[in-house]
Amino acid sequence: EMEAKYTRKMQALRDEMDLRRKTEIHELEERKNTQISELMGNHEGAFGAIKNYYNDITAKNLALINLLKEQVEELKKREAVLEKEKADVLLQNKGLTEPLQESQELVAQLQKKLVHYYRDKEALMNSKAHLKITQKELKDLQWEHEVLEQRFSKVQAERDELYQKFTKAINEVQQKTGFKNLLLERKLQGLLNLLEQKEVELSEAVAASNLDPSALSLVSHKLEDVLSSKNATIKDLQLQLARVCKAHNDMLQTFEAKLTAFGIPVDNLGFQPLSFPIAGQ
């Protein structure tokens, strides 16, 4: 019974499952048919669009082919005309070959002449520019020459004036320096003579007085002091004489340097400047 019961249930379940399967299969077929219909419609639309597109292209290509045929025919006609013109031009070229060669030779000669012309023109321009520069330099040199002549005249006048002043000054300085040196030498000689006389008188006085050694020592010290003072005076006079001689010699060197700077030879003075030896040298 249980086997029969479950057999019935199994049969009922199998029938139900078969029914469901058939239903699902039917639904799938319906959906498939719907999709097929849609795809076919889409394909027909696309095919129609492509067909129309290629029909347009075909029509355009046919029109283009016809146009190109017409152009080819026109080009053939034009080519024939050009061939005829070419033949005529070849005949003309044969007749113009010799004049062309002559013209080419003439052009070559003219080109050479043109090159020489440009070269000569450039050289002429350079010469003109150089001439302008030279003229300007000449004007500048002339102006500088005039200025230098004026300056030379002025320098000559200053030189002559300076020469006169220096000549006068050197004469005065020589006279003054010589007179002063003579006075100093005479004064120095007088002091030396006086010193010798005093020494002789002192020796005679010492010999005549018979002084004791202490008094003689005192007199000797006083005499040494006097002699030291006189020696200092003599040195001072010698230094003064040396300074005067040096100043005179420096002035002579300065004068000779000025004469050299102005281009005046020392021999043109007309006299020989006297240079004093410095005392002690």
Side-chain angles (χ1 to χ4, degrees), residues 213-259:
S214 60
L216 183 60
S217 176
L218 179 60
V219 172
S220 298
H221 285 300
K222 289 182 179 181
L223 182 60
E224 288 178 357
D225 293 337
V226 173
L227 290 175
S228 298
S229 176
K230 297 300 181 179
N231 289 330
T233 303
I234 292 171
K235 289 182 179 179
D236 186 29
L237 291 174
Q238 289 177 346
L239 288 176
Q240 291 181 12
L241 179 61
R243 282 197 294 269
V244 171
C245 292
K246 187 177 184 304
H248 174 74
N249 294 335
D250 292 340
M251 186 271 296
L252 284 179
Q253 291 178 359
T254 305
F255 177 66
E256 291 177 358
K258 288 292 183 180
L259 290 178

Side-chain angles (χ1 to χ4, degrees), residues 35-46:
Q35 290 178 356
I36 290 170
S37 298
E38 291 177 355
L39 289 173
M40 289 179 67
N42 293 331
H43 289 171
E44 288 177 359

Side-chain angles (χ1 to χ4, degrees), residues 32-271:
K32 181 182 71 174
N33 292 329
T34 302
Q35 290 178 356
I36 290 170
S37 298
E38 291 177 355
L39 289 173
M40 289 179 67
N42 293 331
H43 289 171
E44 288 177 359
F47 180 73
I50 291 172
K51 185 177 180 182
N52 293 329
Y53 173 73
Y54 281 106
N55 287 332
D56 293 337
I57 291 175
T58 303
K60 290 180 180 179
N61 288 334
L62 290 173
L64 181 61
I65 289 170
N66 293 327
L67 179 62
L68 291 175
K69 284 182 179 180
E70 293 176 359
Q71 291 179 357
V72 168
E73 291 177 359
E74 185 178 356
L75 289 173
K76 285 181 179 179
K77 292 179 181 179
R78 189 174 178 183
E79 183 180 3
V81 174
L82 292 174
E83 287 291 336
K84 186 177 179 181
E85 292 179 355
K86 178 182 177 182
D88 296 337
V89 170
L90 289 174
L91 291 174
Q92 293 178 1
N93 286 337
K94 288 182 180 179
L96 295 175
T97 301
E98 293 182 359
L100 178 62
Q101 291 179 353
E102 294 177 356
S103 299
Q104 287 178 348
E105 293 176 356
L106 181 60
V107 167
Q109 294 178 0
L110 292 176
Q111 285 180 348
K112 291 181 180 179
K113 291 181 179 180
L114 183 62
V115 170
H116 291 297
Y117 169 74
Y118 284 136
R119 188 180 302 166
D120 295 338
K121 185 177 180 181
E122 184 177 0
L124 180 61
M125 292 176 66
N126 292 332
S127 299
K128 287 182 177 179
H130 185 66
L131 179 61
K132 289 181 179 179
I133 295 172
T134 305
Q135 288 177 349
K136 185 177 182 302
E137 291 178 352
L138 178 61
K139 290 181 179 179
D140 294 339
L141 289 174
Q142 289 176 349
W143 182 77
E144 290 180 0
H145 179 68
E146 292 178 359
V147 173
L148 289 174
E149 282 185 347
Q150 294 176 1
R151 290 178 63 186
F152 179 71
S153 300
K154 185 177 179 182
V155 170
Q156 276 186 335
E158 292 178 355
R159 183 199 64 183
D160 295 338
E161 183 180 358
L162 186 62
Y163 177 74
Q164 294 175 0
K165 288 182 179 180
F166 269 111
T167 303
K168 185 178 180 181
I170 197 67
N171 290 328
E172 292 177 356
V173 170
Q174 280 186 343
Q175 292 176 1
K176 291 180 181 179
T177 306
F179 182 69
K180 191 172 182 180
N181 290 340
L182 182 60
L183 290 178
L184 289 174
E185 288 177 356
R186 288 182 178 179
K187 189 175 181 180
L188 180 61
Q189 187 64 36
L191 290 174
L192 290 175
N193 294 331
L194 181 61
L195 178 61
E196 290 177 357
Q197 184 179 358
K198 293 295 183 183
E199 287 179 351
V200 171
E201 291 176 357
L202 179 61
S203 299
E204 291 177 354
V206 169
S209 60
N210 293 321
L211 296 175
D212 58 350
S214 60
L216 183 60
S217 176
L218 179 60
V219 172
S220 298
H221 285 300
K222 289 182 179 181
L223 182 60
E224 288 178 357
D225 293 337
V226 173
L227 290 175
S228 298
S229 176
K230 297 300 181 179
N231 289 330
T233 303
I234 292 171
K235 289 182 179 179
D236 186 29
L237 291 174
Q238 289 177 346
L239 288 176
Q240 291 181 12
L241 179 61
R243 282 197 294 269
V244 171
C245 292
K246 187 177 184 304
H248 174 74
N249 294 335
D250 292 340
M251 186 271 296
L252 284 179
Q253 291 178 359
T254 305
F255 177 66
E256 291 177 358
K258 288 292 183 180
L259 290 178
T260 304
F262 283 101
I264 302 173
V266 182
D267 298 335
N268 293 342
L269 287 176
F271 62 91

